[in-house]
Amino acid sequence: MATQAAPASGVRNGAGPEWGGFEENIQGGGSAVIDMENMDDTSGSSFEDMGELHQRLREEEVDADAAAAEEEDGEFLGMKGFKGQLSRQVADQMWQAGKRQASKAFSLYANIDILRPYFDVEPAQVRSRLLESMIPIKMVNFPQKVAGELYGPLMLVFTLVAILLHGMKTSDTIIREGTLMGTAIGTCFGYWLGVSSFIYFLAYLCNAQITMLQMLALLGYGLFGHCIVLFITYNIHLHALFYLFWLLLGGLSTLRMVAVLVSRTVGPTQRLLLCGTLAALHMLFLLYLHFAYHKVVEGILDTLEGPNIPPMQRVPRDIPAVLPAAKLPVAVVNATAKAIAVTLQSH
Amino acid sequence: MAEAEDSPGEQEATSSKPLFAGLSDVSISQDIPIEGEITIPSGTRAQECDSSTLNESIRRTIMRDLKAVGRKFMHVLYPRKSNTLLRDWDLWGPLILCVSLALMLQKSSVEGKRDGGSPEFAEVFVIIWFGAVTITLNSKLLGGNISFFQSLCVLGYCVLPLNIAMLICRLLLLAGQGPINFMIRLFVVLVMFAWSVIASTAFLADCQPPNRKALAVYPVFLFYFVVSWMILTFTP
């Protein structure tokens, strides 16, 4: 790398149009070469130095670009200068490509290392946190502890995705799997990330003491109640049961989050605003997932597909009510006929 | 590439050997066996690779690779303590399994395509690879000492029991649908699902810290659950 850049800078110096600027050029080029050499020394040492190195290289590159821009103003462009420019361009391109590759690999490697502390949990800890997410603690005066951990929330979101898929399949939906899979993932992750950042923003406005990581963990563990409720009610279709679970389990997990937020906020107005928003969003999300979800998707599909009615379709017609006294039975017959037709068409 | 580059280097070494052999004999006599130890194994390995890849027929090369894939299939079907699946990983087997599963999950009739309901080819493909990558990243984050592609390889190969379940389900669906048929399919899919999870954890759990095995196994369980559930709800 250094060998490519060094001749380029040398040629640049040699092709400098004005010898008055020679000293500056030499200095600029010289410093660049020295830095490159330093870099070459460190590059062999270890991979951990890459970040620092990367930063230094970027500064250097800015310097070099500035020098190049200065120089291109010169009127003299002889063959030598042209060749120099060409070789420099090629070297620059190669350097850029290599650097991009290295920085990409480095950022991936670094990201995994950065995220690792948030996944540092034991199974017992996860179990107790899952249980605690359903137990609100009435402690308002002292800020309650929130564990900054992402394993549990992430797994809960993936579980919720799987449960949603299951619910969509078993419900009488026109199932367009590709759309549904994407929608399920989008909904769950969108809710988790979107509401967390929104509440974090509100918390910032309301001067609550909570970090983004804590917010993500809090809301993520709050989804445990949702998972249980949806898993049960997608399999047992009873509205009363759903409302009971919605109030009980959903309410408990919401209360737990509200209690934590209350203990970390000062002032009644702020508390009301923050906790009201969070509670409303969390409870309504569960309602939304249970009732409206597949219907919304169905509606979207219908509008996307447009008029897609098969040409030969038997539509049950109403039996004319001849006598006013026979209206009630006729209505019943019509309803049954329609129901039969619907079941037949769906098969 | 590497093998092709090895062979000229080796030739050079052999041609230059008479030049320096006498010299080393003269100067330091006890260095000879060490030198021999170092050069001979690499030379024989390069020769072996040369002969196996360049001189043999294409058919034999393909058969050798297929045999390797088949041996790994057997490892999945009889999960026992062995790290062949981990040591020489390949992605051919997972690719074959993934494509065949996606093809079998495809609906054949025009009506089925219009109604939707069948997972499409690309989707099965995406679920399997995306899920495998997610599980791998998760195990890396939990502190597992397994490489990225090793984990992908194991997870891909362990779809094999589910492929078998899919095959059986398709055969059963030829006989027509009904509650008894569904119960049989449910049983088959459950057994194969358990098989997949047990096989993959047998390979993957050793690479995790002992106290975190449950955390690493849970996403694996979820992944195979979604795939097997897709198989169970499939109707042609």
Side-chain angles (χ1 to χ4, degrees), chain B residues 35-225:
Chain B
E35 194 177 304
E37 289 271 341
I38 290 168
T39 49
I40 284 171
S42 70
T44 50
R45 193 180 56 83
Q47 264 178 355
E48 188 183 280
C49 285
D50 264 359
S51 63
S52 61
T53 52
L54 289 182
N55 297 337
E56 73 180 7
S57 61
I58 293 172
R59 186 170 145 273
R60 206 193 294 165
T61 312
I62 290 175
M63 286 313 287
R64 190 161 40 85
D65 286 351
L66 280 180
K67 257 181 216 161
V69 170
R71 218 174 300 130
K72 283 172 194 158
F73 279 174
M74 293 316 287
H75 272 288
V76 173
L77 291 181
Y78 296 107
R80 51 181 179 256
K81 290 285 171 199
S82 149
N83 44 12
T84 312
L85 206 56
L86 291 179
R87 204 180 51 237
D88 21 299
W89 55 269
D90 69 276
L91 294 179
W92 284 115
L95 184 71
I96 293 168
L97 288 175
C98 179
V99 168
S100 60
L101 185 67
L103 281 177
M104 281 193 282
L105 276 172
Q106 194 86 340
K107 276 196 176 177
S108 50
S109 61
V110 184
E111 192 196 343
K113 272 177 193 159
R114 189 178 56 77
D115 274 352
S118 71
E120 286 172 18
F121 184 87
E123 210 216 326
V124 178
F125 213 82
V126 167
I127 285 178
I128 289 180
W129 290 111
F130 176 74
V133 167
T134 309
I135 293 167
T136 306
L137 281 182
N138 179 57
S139 73
K140 287 288 264 187
L141 286 170
L142 285 172
N145 55 354
I146 188 170
S147 91
F148 187 78
F149 287 108
Q150 278 177 342
S151 175
L152 273 191
C153 166
V154 168
L155 289 169
Y157 269 106
C158 289
V159 180
L160 178 66
L162 291 174
N163 265 39
I164 296 170
M166 186 67 223
L167 202 64
I168 296 173
C169 280
R170 278 214 88 131
L171 289 177
L172 283 174
L173 280 169
L174 287 180
Q177 298 178 28
I180 301 167
N181 194 323
F182 178 77
M183 291 310 284
I184 299 172
R185 277 189 293 148
L186 180 69
F187 178 72
V188 168
V189 170
L190 275 182
V191 168
M192 292 304 180
F193 163 65
W195 199 333
S196 283
V197 173
I198 290 169
S200 56
T201 46
F203 291 113
L204 289 181
D206 284 343
C207 307
Q208 291 294 329
N211 49 349
R212 286 193 192 157
K213 277 180 188 170
L215 298 182
V217 166
Y218 176 69
V220 175
F221 166 82
L222 202 64
F223 169 65
Y224 287 122
F225 180 76

Side-chain angles (χ1 to χ4, degrees), chain A residues 111-113 115-116 119-123 126 151 154-156 158-159 162 165-167 169-170 174-178 181 185 231 305 308 310 347, chain B residues 111 113-120 123 127 130 134 137-138 140-144 211-216 218-219 222 225-226 229-230 233-234:
Chain A
N111 276 341
I112 283 182
D113 257 3
L115 286 175
R116 204 162 273 168
F119 285 76
D120 187 20
V121 282
E122 307 282 318
V126 174
Y151 173 83
L154 208 61
M155 285 305 128
L156 278 172
F158 277 121
T159 314
L165 273 179
H166 167 69
K169 268 249 177 161
T170 49
I174 297 175
I175 293 165
R176 189 51 64 95
E177 182 82 20
M181 171 59 84
I185 290 180
F231 184 70
E305 282 180 24
N308 201 4
H347 277 290
Chain B
E111 192 196 343
K113 272 177 193 159
R114 189 178 56 77
D115 274 352
S118 71
E120 286 172 18
E123 210 216 326
I127 285 178
F130 176 74
T134 309
L137 281 182
N138 179 57
K140 287 288 264 187
L141 286 170
L142 285 172
N211 49 349
R212 286 193 192 157
K213 277 180 188 170
L215 298 182
Y218 176 69
L222 202 64
F225 180 76
V226 168
W229 194 75
M230 253 166 32
T233 53
F234 170 79

Side-chain angles (χ1 to χ4, degrees), chain A residues 114-120 129 145-154 192-193 196-197 199-201 209-221 260 264:
Chain A
I114 286 167
L115 286 175
R116 204 162 273 168
Y118 307 132
F119 285 76
D120 187 20
R129 277 174 199 161
K145 265 182 82 176
V146 183
E149 175 238 325
L150 289 180
Y151 173 83
L154 208 61
W192 183 45
L193 298 175
S196 295
S197 35
I199 297 290
Y200 177 67
F201 174 67
Q209 297 173 341
I210 196 160
T211 62
M212 186 66 195
L213 177 68
Q214 283 172 328
M215 198 57 234
L216 281 174
L218 192 65
L219 193 71
Y221 275 112
V260 170
R264 288 175 165 260

Side-chain angles (χ1 to χ4, degrees), chain A residues 278-301:
Chain A
L278 180 63
L281 280 174
H282 203 63
M283 295 297 274
L284 286 177
F285 183 61
L286 184 51
L287 267 187
Y288 168 74
L289 286 187
H290 183 73
F291 284 117
Y293 192 68
H294 60 266
K295 282 193 180 140
V296 165
V297 173
E298 202 173 351
I300 290 170
L301 282 180

Side-chain angles (χ1 to χ4, degrees), chain A:
Chain A
M1 288 185 277
T3 47
Q4 279 165 0
S9 61
V11 168
R12 196 199 317 151
N13 286 335
E18 292 164 14
W19 292 96
F22 182 69
E23 283 226 346
E24 290 162 28
N25 275 343
I26 277 287
Q27 273 197 335
S31 72
V33 167
I34 286 165
D35 278 352
M36 293 277 187
E37 278 169 5
N38 282 345
M39 175 214 68
D40 214 41
D41 286 344
T42 52
S43 73
S45 64
S46 79
F47 198 44
E48 314 293 324
D49 294 332
M50 274 301 273
E52 197 191 340
L53 177 70
H54 180 60
Q55 195 139 23
R56 216 186 323 150
L57 281 177
R58 190 180 291 162
E59 288 167 15
E60 230 166 80
E61 188 199 0
V62 170
D63 282 353
D65 278 358
E70 258 181 27
E71 195 178 318
E72 270 162 17
D73 290 340
E75 293 129 316
F76 175 72
L77 256 177
M79 202 54 204
K80 205 176 169 189
F82 181 69
K83 263 189 187 169
Q85 270 204 338
L86 199 67
S87 70
R88 194 168 44 136
Q89 267 185 355
V90 171
D92 263 2
Q93 265 179 5
M94 286 176 68
W95 173 237
Q96 289 280 344
K99 203 178 63 169
R100 218 175 299 131
Q101 211 86 30
S103 72
K104 207 187 285 172
F106 171 71
S107 70
L108 187 71
Y109 177 79
N111 276 341
I112 283 182
D113 257 3
I114 286 167
L115 286 175
R116 204 162 273 168
Y118 307 132
F119 285 76
D120 187 20
V121 282
E122 307 282 318
Q125 278 178 318
V126 174
R127 212 178 309 132
S128 65
R129 277 174 199 161
L130 283 177
L131 285 178
E132 276 166 18
S133 77
M134 305 296 289
I135 305 166
I137 305 162
K138 201 183 161 193
M139 182 177 68
V140 177
N141 301 323
F142 194 74
Q144 295 180 19
K145 265 182 82 176
V146 183
E149 175 238 325
L150 289 180
Y151 173 83
L154 208 61
M155 285 305 128
L156 278 172
V157 171
F158 277 121
T159 314
L160 193 61
V161 169
I163 292 173
L164 268 190
L165 273 179
H166 167 69
M168 281 182 236
K169 268 249 177 161
T170 49
S171 65
D172 48 349
T173 319
I174 297 175
I175 293 165
R176 189 51 64 95
E177 182 82 20
T179 321
L180 290 191
M181 171 59 84
T183 325
I185 290 180
T187 312
C188 296
F189 273 97
Y191 175 76
W192 183 45
L193 298 175
V195 172
S196 295
S197 35
F198 176 65
I199 297 290
Y200 177 67
F201 174 67
L202 268 188
Y204 175 73
L205 290 185
C206 297
N207 216 0
Q209 297 173 341
I210 196 160
T211 62
M212 186 66 195
L213 177 68
Q214 283 172 328
M215 198 57 234
L216 281 174
L218 192 65
L219 193 71
Y221 275 112
L223 288 175
F224 181 52
H226 284 32
C227 285
I228 296 174
V229 173
L230 288 177
F231 184 70
I232 293 172
T233 55
Y234 276 146
N235 291 310
I236 305 167
H237 301 279
L238 272 179
H239 279 311
L241 189 74
F242 170 70
Y243 283 122
L244 184 71
F245 277 150
W246 178 63
L247 278 180
L248 201 70
L249 297 181
L252 275 180
S253 64
T254 311
L255 266 184
R256 148 88 182 168
M257 291 197 292
V258 165
V260 170
L261 277 183
V262 162
S263 72
R264 288 175 165 260
T265 322
V266 181
T269 321
Q270 284 92 331
R271 280 177 177 174
L272 190 67
L273 179 67
L274 198 60
C275 300
T277 317
L278 180 63
L281 280 174
H282 203 63
M283 295 297 274
L284 286 177
F285 183 61
L286 184 51
L287 267 187
Y288 168 74
L289 286 187
H290 183 73
F291 284 117
Y293 192 68
H294 60 266
K295 282 193 180 140
V296 165
V297 173
E298 202 173 351
I300 290 170
L301 282 180
D302 280 350
T303 45
L304 280 180
E305 282 180 24
N308 201 4
I309 304 161
M312 289 292 285
Q313 193 176 30
R314 274 192 275 172
V315 180
R317 297 211 181 95
D318 284 359
I319 299 165
V322 184
L323 295 171
K327 260 188 184 168
L328 190 65
V330 161
V332 172
V333 168
N334 279 342
T336 19
K338 272 179 189 164
I340 290 168
V342 165
T343 48
L344 282 179
Q345 275 173 8
S346 67
H347 277 290

